[in-house]
């Protein structure tokens, strides 16, 4: 009986802890477009509990289409350029506000001949300050099928307690800096206050461990 109670208490603790450290992948499949197609969005995209905005609303949803970056499923392509859409980029924020952490993402050149050579990434931290990363793309790109267009960029522990992250393509050809993004790994910020339900579960777990401890001492 004691072993059963101990196992239950440990399970509750682990369950509560997992709620505190949940991670998720934003893969844009909740706003997917059909294979072989490209959709030009003139308003922000909402996916995975986050809002993705571009100053000139120049976002394409791409799925294995022509000469655009191919991730094997729906991804976002942002057409950063020095002409009418100068200042384009992509900013992600949590819908309803709040902080988050980011551990990795897939990035690619946007489309043939006009792909960015780098993506400039700025994370805005809660309470002020920023973290910055310039990611160099490998130039391996052939559009739908064939080669693996995307690379993984990893973010260290400083990319935590973020209020927003801004991405911008740079160093392209003829002021054209198109780039693509997919599979963004995000999690709850380490400083986030647990939800009441999580706190209640942890309290129940701790009470269970206390009960088991007292039974063993009796």
């Amino acid at each position: 009986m004691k072993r059963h109670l101990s196992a239950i208490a440990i399970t509750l603790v682990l369950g509560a802890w997992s709620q505190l450290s949940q991670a998720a992948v934003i893969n844009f499949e909740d706003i997917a477009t059909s294979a072989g197609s490209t959709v030009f969005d003139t308003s922000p995209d909402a996916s995975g509990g986050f809002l993705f905005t571009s100053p000139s609303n120049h976002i394409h949803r791409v799925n294995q289409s022509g000469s655009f970056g191919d991730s094997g499923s729906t991804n976002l392509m942002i057409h950063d350029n020095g002409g009418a859409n100068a200042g384009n980029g992509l900013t992600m924020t949590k819908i309803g506000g709040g902080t988050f952490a980011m551990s990795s993402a897939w990035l690619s050149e946007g489309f043939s001949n006009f792909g960015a050579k780098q993506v400039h990434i700025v994370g805005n931290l809660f309470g002020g300050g920023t973290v910055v990363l310039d990611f160099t793309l490998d130039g391996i790109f052939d559009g739908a099928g064939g080669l693996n267009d995307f690379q993984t960029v990893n973010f260290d522990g400083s990319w935590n307690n973020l209020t927003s992250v801004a991405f911008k393509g740079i160093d392209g050809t003829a002021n054209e800096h198109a780039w693509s993004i997919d599979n963004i790994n995000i999690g709850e910020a380490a400083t986030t206050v647990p939800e009441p339900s999580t706190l209640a579960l942890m309290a129940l777990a701790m009470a269970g461990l206390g009960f088991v401890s007292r039974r063993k001492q009796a």
Side-chain angles (χ1 to χ4, degrees):
M1 179 64 177
K2 290 181 180 180
R3 289 181 180 178
H4 290 308
L5 289 173
S6 180
I8 292 171
I10 291 171
T11 300
L12 287 171
V13 169
L14 292 175
W17 179 254
S18 68
Q19 289 191 32
L20 292 177
S21 57
Q22 286 178 1
V25 179
I26 302 173
N27 57 18
F28 305 110
E29 292 309 298
D30 51 350
I31 54 170
T33 185
S34 57
S37 68
T38 302
V39 176
F40 176 43
D41 291 328
T42 58
S43 60
D45 284 320
S47 179
F50 283 75
L51 192 66
F52 295 84
T53 59
S54 176
S56 299
N57 293 324
H58 204 116
I59 302 173
H60 299 254
R61 279 180 290 137
V62 179
N63 188 349
Q64 306 170 72
S65 176
S67 58
F68 295 97
D70 178 20
S71 64
S73 59
T74 298
N75 62 78
L76 297 188
M77 192 280 282
I78 295 81
H79 188 186
D80 285 337
N81 63 38
N85 297 302
N88 266 354
L90 185 73
T91 299
M92 61 179 291
T93 54
K94 207 170 186 180
I95 294 174
T99 57
F100 61 97
M102 185 167 66
S103 60
S104 67
W106 287 13
L107 296 175
S108 168
E109 295 82 1
F111 55 88
S112 59
N113 301 322
F114 298 112
K117 291 183 175 64
Q118 286 187 312
V119 179
H120 180 64
I121 310 167
V122 179
N124 296 293
L125 301 170
F126 178 78
T130 60
V131 284
V132 179
L133 188 152
D134 286 318
F135 185 74
T136 300
L137 299 167
D138 60 11
I140 298 174
F141 177 87
D142 70 346
L147 302 173
N148 183 7
D149 297 331
F150 279 76
Q151 300 167 251
T152 300
V153 53
N154 293 302
F155 302 94
D156 63 24
S158 63
W159 292 75
N160 177 53
N161 210 22
L162 301 161
T163 56
S164 66
V165 177
F167 304 81
K168 185 168 179 60
I170 57 176
D171 294 338
T173 303
N175 291 324
E176 300 280 353
H177 319 290
W179 60 281
S180 301
I181 188 167
D182 200 2
N183 293 326
I184 308 168
N185 280 275
I186 56 93
E188 295 297 328
T191 56
T192 298
V193 177
E195 296 290 332
S197 59
T198 302
L199 288 172
L201 182 58
M202 291 188 72
L204 179 61
M206 296 307 294
L209 285 175
F211 175 75
V212 171
S213 177
R214 287 193 299 273
R215 287 289 299 272
K216 286 182 178 180
Q217 292 174 4

Coordinates of all heavy atoms in Angstrom, one line a residue, residues 24-31 41-61 74-78 89-96 100 102 104-107 163-167 179-186:
A24 N 6.3 23.5 -27.1 CA 5.5 23.3 -28.3 C 6.2 23.7 -29.5 O 7.2 24.4 -29.5 CB 4.2 24.0 -28.1
V25 N 5.8 23.1 -30.6 CA 6.3 23.5 -31.9 C 5.3 24.2 -32.8 O 4.2 23.7 -33.0 CB 6.8 22.2 -32.7 CG1 7.4 22.6 -34.0 CG2 7.9 21.5 -31.9
I26 N 5.6 25.4 -33.2 CA 4.7 26.1 -34.1 C 5.1 25.7 -35.5 O 6.2 26.1 -36.0 CB 4.9 27.6 -34.0 CG1 4.5 28.0 -32.5 CG2 3.9 28.4 -34.9 CD1 4.8 29.5 -32.2
N27 N 4.3 24.9 -36.2 CA 4.6 24.4 -37.5 C 3.6 24.9 -38.6 O 3.7 24.5 -39.8 CB 4.6 22.9 -37.5 CG 3.3 22.3 -37.0 OD1 2.2 22.9 -37.0 ND2 3.3 21.0 -36.7
F28 N 2.7 25.8 -38.2 CA 1.8 26.5 -39.1 C 0.8 25.5 -39.8 O 0.1 25.9 -40.8 CB 2.6 27.3 -40.2 CG 3.5 28.2 -39.6 CD1 4.9 28.0 -39.7 CD2 3.1 29.3 -38.9 CE1 5.8 28.9 -39.1 CE2 4.0 30.2 -38.3 CZ 5.3 30.0 -38.4
E29 N 0.7 24.3 -39.3 CA -0.3 23.4 -39.8 C -1.7 23.7 -39.5 O -2.7 23.3 -40.1 CB 0.0 21.9 -39.4 CG 1.3 21.4 -40.0 CD 1.4 21.6 -41.5 OE1 0.6 21.0 -42.2 OE2 2.3 22.3 -42.0
D30 N -1.9 24.6 -38.4 CA -3.3 25.0 -38.1 C -3.7 26.1 -39.1 O -4.9 26.5 -39.0 CB -3.3 25.5 -36.7 CG -2.2 26.5 -36.3 OD1 -1.3 26.7 -37.1 OD2 -2.3 27.1 -35.2
I31 N -2.8 26.6 -39.9 CA -3.2 27.6 -41.0 C -2.7 27.1 -42.3 O -2.2 27.8 -43.2 CB -2.7 29.0 -40.7 CG1 -1.2 29.0 -40.4 CG2 -3.5 29.6 -39.5 CD1 -0.6 30.5 -40.4
D41 N -0.8 36.5 -47.7 CA -1.7 37.1 -46.6 C -1.4 38.6 -46.5 O -0.3 39.0 -46.4 CB -1.3 36.4 -45.3 CG -1.8 34.9 -45.3 OD1 -2.8 34.6 -45.9 OD2 -1.1 34.1 -44.6
T42 N -2.5 39.3 -46.5 CA -2.4 40.8 -46.3 C -2.8 41.2 -44.9 O -3.0 42.4 -44.6 CB -3.4 41.5 -47.3 OG1 -4.7 41.0 -47.1 CG2 -3.0 41.2 -48.7
S43 N -2.8 40.2 -44.0 CA -3.1 40.5 -42.6 C -2.2 39.6 -41.7 O -1.7 38.6 -42.2 CB -4.6 40.4 -42.2 OG -5.0 39.1 -42.5
P44 N -2.0 39.9 -40.4 CA -1.2 39.0 -39.6 C -1.7 37.6 -39.6 O -2.9 37.3 -39.7 CB -1.3 39.7 -38.2 CG -1.6 41.1 -38.5 CD -2.5 41.1 -39.7
D45 N -0.8 36.6 -39.4 CA -1.2 35.2 -39.2 C -1.2 34.8 -37.8 O -0.2 35.2 -37.0 CB -0.2 34.3 -40.0 CG -0.5 34.4 -41.5 OD1 -1.7 34.4 -41.9 OD2 0.5 34.4 -42.3
A46 N -2.1 34.1 -37.3 CA -2.2 33.5 -36.0 C -2.0 32.0 -36.0 O -2.7 31.3 -36.8 CB -3.5 33.9 -35.3
S47 N -1.0 31.5 -35.3 CA -0.7 30.1 -35.3 C -0.1 29.7 -34.0 O 0.8 30.4 -33.5 CB 0.3 29.8 -36.5 OG 0.6 28.4 -36.5
G48 N -0.5 28.6 -33.5 CA 0.1 28.0 -32.2 C 0.0 28.9 -31.0 O 0.9 28.8 -30.2
G49 N -1.0 29.8 -31.0 CA -1.1 30.7 -29.8 C -0.3 32.0 -30.0 O -0.2 32.8 -29.0
F50 N 0.3 32.2 -31.2 CA 1.2 33.4 -31.4 C 0.6 34.1 -32.6 O 0.0 33.6 -33.5 CB 2.6 33.0 -31.7 CG 3.4 32.6 -30.4 CD1 3.1 31.4 -29.8 CD2 4.3 33.5 -29.9 CE1 3.8 31.1 -28.6 CE2 5.0 33.2 -28.7 CZ 4.7 32.0 -28.1
L51 N 0.9 35.4 -32.6 CA 0.6 36.3 -33.7 C 1.9 36.7 -34.5 O 2.8 37.1 -33.9 CB -0.1 37.6 -33.2 CG -0.8 38.4 -34.3 CD1 -2.0 37.7 -34.9 CD2 -1.3 39.7 -33.7
F52 N 1.8 36.5 -35.8 CA 3.0 36.8 -36.7 C 2.6 38.0 -37.6 O 1.7 37.9 -38.4 CB 3.3 35.6 -37.5 CG 3.8 34.4 -36.7 CD1 2.9 33.6 -36.1 CD2 5.2 34.2 -36.5 CE1 3.3 32.5 -35.3 CE2 5.6 33.2 -35.7 CZ 4.7 32.3 -35.1
T53 N 3.3 39.1 -37.4 CA 3.0 40.3 -38.1 C 4.2 40.8 -38.9 O 5.3 40.6 -38.6 CB 2.6 41.5 -37.2 OG1 3.6 41.7 -36.2 CG2 1.3 41.1 -36.4
S54 N 3.9 41.5 -40.0 CA 4.9 42.1 -40.9 C 4.5 43.5 -41.1 O 3.3 43.8 -41.4 CB 5.0 41.3 -42.2 OG 5.9 42.0 -43.1
P55 N 5.4 44.5 -41.1 CA 5.0 45.9 -41.2 C 4.2 46.2 -42.4 O 3.3 47.0 -42.4 CB 6.4 46.6 -41.3 CG 7.3 45.8 -40.5 CD 6.8 44.3 -40.8
S56 N 4.5 45.6 -43.6 CA 3.8 45.8 -44.8 C 2.8 44.6 -45.1 O 2.3 44.5 -46.3 CB 4.7 46.1 -46.0 OG 5.5 47.2 -45.7
N57 N 2.6 43.8 -44.1 CA 1.7 42.6 -44.3 C 2.1 41.8 -45.6 O 1.3 41.5 -46.4 CB 0.3 43.0 -44.4 CG -0.2 43.6 -43.1 OD1 0.1 43.1 -42.0 ND2 -1.1 44.6 -43.1
H58 N 3.4 41.5 -45.7 CA 3.9 40.8 -46.9 C 4.4 39.4 -46.5 O 5.5 39.1 -46.5 CB 5.1 41.6 -47.5 CG 5.3 41.3 -48.9 ND1 5.1 42.2 -49.9 CD2 5.6 40.1 -49.6 CE1 5.4 41.7 -51.1 NE2 5.7 40.4 -50.9
I59 N 3.4 38.6 -46.1 CA 3.7 37.2 -45.7 C 3.0 36.2 -46.6 O 1.9 36.4 -47.0 CB 3.1 36.9 -44.2 CG1 3.7 38.0 -43.2 CG2 3.4 35.5 -43.8 CD1 3.0 37.9 -41.9
H60 N 3.8 35.2 -47.0 CA 3.3 34.1 -47.9 C 3.3 32.9 -47.1 O 4.2 32.5 -46.4 CB 4.2 33.9 -49.1 CG 4.3 35.1 -50.0 ND1 3.7 35.2 -51.2 CD2 5.0 36.3 -49.9 CE1 4.0 36.3 -51.8 NE2 4.8 37.0 -51.0
R61 N 2.1 32.1 -47.2 CA 2.1 30.8 -46.7 C 2.4 29.8 -47.8 O 1.7 29.9 -48.9 CB 0.7 30.4 -46.1 CG 0.5 31.0 -44.7 CD -0.8 30.7 -44.1 NE -1.9 31.4 -44.8 CZ -3.0 30.9 -45.2 NH1 -3.3 29.6 -45.0 NH2 -3.9 31.7 -45.8
T74 N 3.6 23.3 -44.7 CA 3.4 24.8 -44.7 C 4.4 25.5 -43.9 O 4.7 25.1 -42.8 CB 2.0 25.1 -44.2 OG1 1.0 24.5 -45.1 CG2 1.7 26.6 -44.2
N75 N 5.0 26.5 -44.5 CA 5.9 27.4 -43.8 C 5.5 28.9 -44.2 O 4.7 29.1 -45.1 CB 7.3 27.1 -44.1 CG 7.7 27.3 -45.6 OD1 7.9 28.4 -46.1 ND2 7.8 26.2 -46.3
L76 N 6.2 29.8 -43.5 CA 5.9 31.3 -43.8 C 7.2 31.8 -44.6 O 8.3 31.6 -44.2 CB 5.7 32.1 -42.6 CG 4.5 31.8 -41.7 CD1 4.4 32.9 -40.6 CD2 3.2 31.7 -42.5
M77 N 6.9 32.5 -45.7 CA 8.0 33.2 -46.4 C 7.7 34.7 -46.4 O 6.6 35.1 -46.6 CB 8.0 32.7 -47.9 CG 9.2 33.2 -48.7 SD 9.2 34.9 -49.2 CE 8.1 34.8 -50.7
I78 N 8.8 35.4 -46.0 CA 8.6 36.9 -45.8 C 9.5 37.5 -46.8 O 10.7 37.3 -46.9 CB 9.1 37.3 -44.4 CG1 8.1 36.7 -43.3 CG2 9.1 38.8 -44.2 CD1 8.4 35.3 -43.0
G89 N 9.7 42.5 -42.3 CA 10.3 41.5 -41.4 C 9.2 40.7 -40.8 O 8.1 40.8 -41.3
L90 N 9.4 40.1 -39.7 CA 8.4 39.3 -39.1 C 8.6 39.4 -37.6 O 9.7 39.1 -37.1 CB 8.5 37.8 -39.5 CG 7.3 36.9 -39.0 CD1 6.0 37.2 -39.8 CD2 7.7 35.4 -39.2
T91 N 7.5 39.7 -36.9 CA 7.5 39.8 -35.4 C 6.5 38.8 -34.9 O 5.4 38.8 -35.3 CB 7.3 41.2 -34.9 OG1 8.2 42.1 -35.4 CG2 7.3 41.2 -33.4
M92 N 6.9 38.0 -33.9 CA 6.0 37.1 -33.2 C 5.8 37.5 -31.8 O 6.8 37.8 -31.1 CB 6.5 35.6 -33.3 CG 7.9 35.3 -32.7 SD 8.4 33.6 -32.8 CE 7.2 32.8 -31.7
T93 N 4.6 37.5 -31.4 CA 4.2 37.8 -30.0 C 3.1 36.8 -29.6 O 2.4 36.2 -30.4 CB 3.6 39.2 -29.9 OG1 2.5 39.4 -30.8 CG2 4.6 40.3 -30.2
K94 N 3.0 36.6 -28.3 CA 2.1 35.7 -27.7 C 0.7 36.3 -27.8 O 0.5 37.5 -27.3 CB 2.4 35.3 -26.3 CG 2.0 34.0 -25.8 CD 2.6 33.7 -24.4 CE 2.3 32.3 -24.0 NZ 2.9 31.9 -22.7
I95 N -0.3 35.6 -28.3 CA -1.7 36.2 -28.3 C -2.2 36.4 -26.9 O -2.1 35.4 -26.1 CB -2.6 35.2 -29.1 CG1 -2.2 35.2 -30.6 CG2 -4.1 35.7 -29.0 CD1 -3.0 34.2 -31.4
G96 N -2.6 37.6 -26.6 CA -3.1 37.9 -25.2 C -2.0 38.4 -24.3 O -2.2 38.7 -23.2
F100 N 7.6 34.1 -23.1 CA 7.9 32.8 -23.6 C 9.4 32.6 -23.8 O 10.2 33.6 -23.7 CB 7.1 32.6 -24.9 CG 7.5 33.5 -26.0 CD1 8.5 33.1 -27.0 CD2 6.9 34.8 -26.1 CE1 8.8 34.0 -28.0 CE2 7.3 35.6 -27.1 CZ 8.2 35.2 -28.1
M102 N 12.3 30.5 -26.4 CA 12.5 30.0 -27.7 C 13.8 29.2 -27.8 O 14.8 29.7 -27.4 CB 12.4 31.1 -28.8 CG 12.5 30.6 -30.2 SD 12.1 31.9 -31.4 CE 13.5 33.0 -31.2
S104 N 14.7 26.8 -30.7 CA 15.1 26.6 -32.1 C 14.1 27.0 -33.1 O 12.9 27.2 -32.8 CB 15.6 25.1 -32.2 OG 14.4 24.3 -32.2
A105 N 14.5 27.0 -34.3 CA 13.6 27.3 -35.5 C 14.3 26.8 -36.7 O 15.5 26.7 -36.8 CB 13.2 28.7 -35.6
W106 N 13.5 26.6 -37.8 CA 14.0 26.3 -39.1 C 14.0 27.5 -39.9 O 12.9 28.2 -40.0 CB 13.1 25.2 -39.8 CG 13.2 23.8 -39.3 CD1 13.8 23.4 -38.1 CD2 12.7 22.6 -39.9 NE1 13.7 22.0 -38.0 CE2 13.0 21.5 -39.1 CE3 12.0 22.4 -41.1 CZ2 12.7 20.2 -39.4 CZ3 11.6 21.1 -41.4 CH2 12.0 20.0 -40.6
L107 N 15.1 27.8 -40.6 CA 15.2 29.0 -41.5 C 15.7 28.6 -42.9 O 16.5 27.6 -43.0 CB 16.1 30.0 -40.9 CG 15.6 30.7 -39.6 CD1 16.7 31.6 -39.0 CD2 14.3 31.4 -39.7
T163 N 9.2 38.9 -24.7 CA 7.9 39.4 -25.0 C 7.6 39.4 -26.5 O 6.4 39.4 -26.9 CB 7.7 40.8 -24.5 OG1 8.8 41.7 -25.0 CG2 7.9 40.9 -22.9
S164 N 8.6 39.4 -27.3 CA 8.5 39.3 -28.7 C 9.8 38.9 -29.4 O 10.9 39.1 -28.7 CB 8.0 40.6 -29.3 OG 9.0 41.6 -29.2
V165 N 9.8 38.4 -30.6 CA 11.0 38.2 -31.4 C 10.8 38.7 -32.8 O 9.7 38.4 -33.4 CB 11.3 36.6 -31.4 CG1 12.5 36.4 -32.3 CG2 11.5 36.1 -30.0
A166 N 11.7 39.4 -33.3 CA 11.7 40.0 -34.6 C 12.7 39.4 -35.5 O 13.9 39.3 -35.1 CB 11.9 41.6 -34.5
F167 N 12.3 39.0 -36.7 CA 13.2 38.4 -37.7 C 13.3 39.3 -38.9 O 12.3 39.9 -39.3 CB 12.7 37.0 -38.1 CG 12.5 36.0 -37.0 CD1 11.3 36.1 -36.3 CD2 13.4 35.0 -36.8 CE1 11.0 35.1 -35.3 CE2 13.1 34.0 -35.8 CZ 11.9 34.1 -35.1
W179 N 13.1 35.3 -47.1 CA 13.5 34.2 -46.3 C 12.3 33.4 -45.8 O 11.2 34.0 -45.9 CB 14.4 34.7 -45.1 CG 13.7 35.7 -44.2 CD1 13.5 37.0 -44.5 CD2 13.0 35.4 -43.0 NE1 12.7 37.6 -43.5 CE2 12.4 36.6 -42.6 CE3 12.8 34.3 -42.2 CZ2 11.7 36.7 -41.4 CZ3 12.1 34.4 -41.1 CH2 11.5 35.6 -40.7
S180 N 12.5 32.2 -45.2 CA 11.3 31.4 -44.8 C 11.6 30.9 -43.4 O 12.7 30.7 -43.0 CB 11.1 30.3 -45.8 OG 10.8 30.8 -47.1
I181 N 10.5 30.6 -42.7 CA 10.6 30.0 -41.3 C 9.6 28.9 -41.1 O 8.5 29.0 -41.7 CB 10.4 31.2 -40.3 CG1 10.7 30.7 -38.9 CG2 9.0 31.8 -40.4 CD1 10.9 31.8 -37.9
D182 N 9.9 28.0 -40.3 CA 9.0 26.9 -39.9 C 9.5 26.2 -38.6 O 10.6 26.5 -38.2 CB 9.0 25.8 -41.0 CG 7.7 24.9 -41.0 OD1 6.9 25.1 -40.1 OD2 7.6 24.0 -41.9
N183 N 8.6 25.4 -38.0 CA 9.0 24.6 -36.8 C 9.7 25.4 -35.7 O 10.9 25.1 -35.4 CB 9.8 23.4 -37.3 CG 9.0 22.4 -38.1 OD1 7.8 22.3 -37.9 ND2 9.6 21.8 -39.1
I184 N 9.0 26.4 -35.2 CA 9.6 27.2 -34.1 C 9.3 26.5 -32.8 O 8.2 26.2 -32.4 CB 9.0 28.6 -34.1 CG1 9.1 29.2 -35.5 CG2 9.6 29.5 -33.0 CD1 8.2 30.5 -35.6
N185 N 10.4 26.1 -32.0 CA 10.2 25.5 -30.7 C 10.2 26.5 -29.6 O 11.1 27.3 -29.4 CB 11.4 24.5 -30.5 CG 11.3 23.2 -31.2 OD1 10.6 22.3 -30.7 ND2 11.9 23.1 -32.4
I186 N 9.0 26.6 -29.0 CA 8.8 27.6 -27.9 C 8.4 26.9 -26.6 O 8.0 25.7 -26.7 CB 7.8 28.7 -28.3 CG1 6.4 28.1 -28.7 CG2 8.3 29.5 -29.5 CD1 5.5 27.9 -27.6

